[in-house]
Every structure is written in C-alpha cells, then in structure tokens.
Amino acid sequence: MLSHDQIWEALDRLAERHELTPSGLARRAGLDPTSFNKSKRLSADGRLRWPSTESIAKVLDATGASMEEFLAFMRRDADLSKQLAAPQESAFPQQGGSIPLLGFAQAGAGGFFDDGGFPAGQGWDVVEFPAAPAQKAGVYALEVQGESMMPLYRDGDVLIVEPGAQVRRNDRVVVRTNEGEVMAKVLLRQSTRSIELMSLNPEHPNRTLELSDVDWIARIIWASQ
C-alpha cells in the first residue's frame, strides 16, 4: 500500500528533478501554485490531504514523466527505480555515485557517443553524481567551456544530461548535429521535420535545425552552478 508521505515525496522528487519547487511544478502543470505546498498536505483538523489523480496526470503530462517513473519515485526499492529508469544498457557500469564527464569542446568529436546519444568509447573522465534523482544508466555530465552559454551557464559549470528521455517544449537540452556541433539550448518547438531552439545567451541567435541534420538530442536534468 502506497502511503500519503510516499505520494507527496514522489511529487517533491519530480519537482527537484526538473529544478523546480513544488509551487513551480504546480504552475508548470497549470494548477494553482499553492496546490503542492506543504501546508496543503494536511487539513486544519489534521486529516491527510491527497493530490488528485487529475493533478498527478497534469504533472506527468507537463514534465514528460511516465507513470512508471512516478511509481519508482514512490517506491523505496532502489533496484526497482534503476530498472524502470534505464532506457537501455550503458557502456559505463554503475560505479557508486560516479558518472562519465566530458567537456563540451570534446563532445563534438567522434567516438564518445553511440547512435542513441549514450556515452561510449574511451577518454571520459568521471564526476560524482550530485543530483537528487536516482542514478540512471546512461546519464552523463558535460562541463561548460567558455562564455557562450552565459548568463545561464558559466565556464566550469557541469550539466547532467539524460539521453533517451522524452524532451518537451521549454526543456533545456543538449543537441549534437551530424557535423559534430554540440550546443545547449531551450527547445521551443519540435515538428516531424525540424526543431526550433532558443539560445541561452541573448548574443547568440536562435537556431532551427532539420531533424535529418540532428544526430541526437538529450534533456538537461540538473546543473551545478
């Protein structure tokens, strides 16, 4: 039986995964910003208040999370969470809290990623996985180099990237083109033929790419700043 605390914890963890507060998560889902506040989880007389199934459905739709992922957040069985979260086998085995690390300048070179955008090959460093979500097979880190992503990301910031995850409008993403160009942008629009990307740095223009020119696209789930 899933408890009241587990369900609210799952919502908190989902918000944290998307770098949101509970209020920010509610707002993204089109709900009243106070819907998930801790003060709303108990009534004035101490009775438990549960989030509605409609609210949870809206949150899953707004974040692109699946019901399986949400259930994994609620269950404290770490092995189950890893099983549900792993889209495919990774070239890098789980090593405690460490994940592969690569600089943006090197990411454009060949041999570091497989056809699905997952880390592969040699030459990677490792970094401790600092984000709250359970570590997932295939998750890796890219180190920002230079000032092209200012003011959002600075030189030396580390971005945690989840390949294989569903990307949605307004997600922060890393995109690699077939020519080896790697960029961090905000996904504005995606059609069956192209994607439109907003630059993080206002001094750089937005980009529109044909999907045929895109090698892979992956969601940024966390950043050290």
Side-chain angles (χ1 to χ4, degrees):
M1 178 70 69
L2 296 173
S3 72
H4 175 268
D5 288 343
Q6 284 176 312
I7 291 179
W8 282 113
E9 181 183 358
L11 284 169
D12 288 341
R13 292 179 65 189
L14 186 60
E16 190 171 356
R17 173 178 177 175
H18 290 272
E19 303 178 64
L20 297 168
T21 63
S23 294
L25 180 65
R27 192 177 297 111
R28 177 179 287 195
L31 303 170
D32 185 300
T34 66
S35 298
F36 300 150
N37 287 3
K38 293 187 183 299
S39 61
K40 292 292 187 74
R41 302 179 187 186
L42 293 174
S43 64
D45 59 5
R47 288 181 299 171
L48 301 180
R49 282 182 172 171
W50 300 71
S52 69
T53 54
E54 181 182 7
S55 295
I56 293 174
K58 287 183 176 180
V59 164
L60 296 181
D61 182 62
T63 59
S66 67
M67 180 57 72
E68 288 79 10
E69 289 173 314
F70 188 73
L71 289 173
F73 281 143
M74 287 192 285
R75 294 165 180 157
R76 299 184 183 278
D77 187 336
D79 290 337
L80 176 60
S81 295
K82 291 177 183 178
Q83 178 184 359
L84 292 173
Q88 66 181 60
E89 291 186 1
S90 171
F92 295 82
Q94 303 280 352
Q95 302 179 26
S98 298
I99 59 174
L101 169 70
L102 192 68
F104 255 90
Q106 290 75 43
F112 289 109
F113 301 94
D114 65 16
D115 292 340
F118 287 78
Q122 305 298 318
W124 292 78
D125 201 345
V126 294
V127 65
E128 289 301 303
F129 187 23
Q135 183 177 339
K136 299 181 177 182
V139 169
Y140 62 90
L142 291 176
E143 183 177 1
V144 175
Q145 297 168 321
E147 307 298 327
S148 64
M149 301 179 202
M150 290 284 287
L152 188 58
Y153 300 132
R154 303 179 298 273
D155 183 58
D157 285 348
V158 174
L159 310 182
I160 306 298
V161 180
E162 182 184 356
Q166 181 182 4
V167 293
R168 300 176 64 87
R169 185 176 182 179
N170 296 324
D171 279 349
R172 297 173 188 174
V173 296
V174 175
V175 178
R176 187 182 191 275
T177 69
N178 293 331
E179 296 181 351
E181 183 181 6
V182 179
M183 63 196 87
K185 304 284 186 182
V186 176
L187 180 64
L188 290 182
R189 188 174 292 105
Q190 180 172 354
S191 70
T192 57
R193 294 184 178 181
S194 65
I195 56 173
E196 184 178 342
L197 304 167
M198 182 178 71
S199 293
L200 304 175
N201 188 327
E203 296 182 1
H204 291 254
N206 293 347
R207 298 282 297 274
T208 299
L209 298 173
E210 297 295 319
L211 284 180
S212 59
D213 295 328
V214 175
D215 186 13
W216 50 258
I217 180 170
R219 187 173 62 189
I220 299 171
I221 61 172
W222 194 87
S224 70
Q225 297 177 299

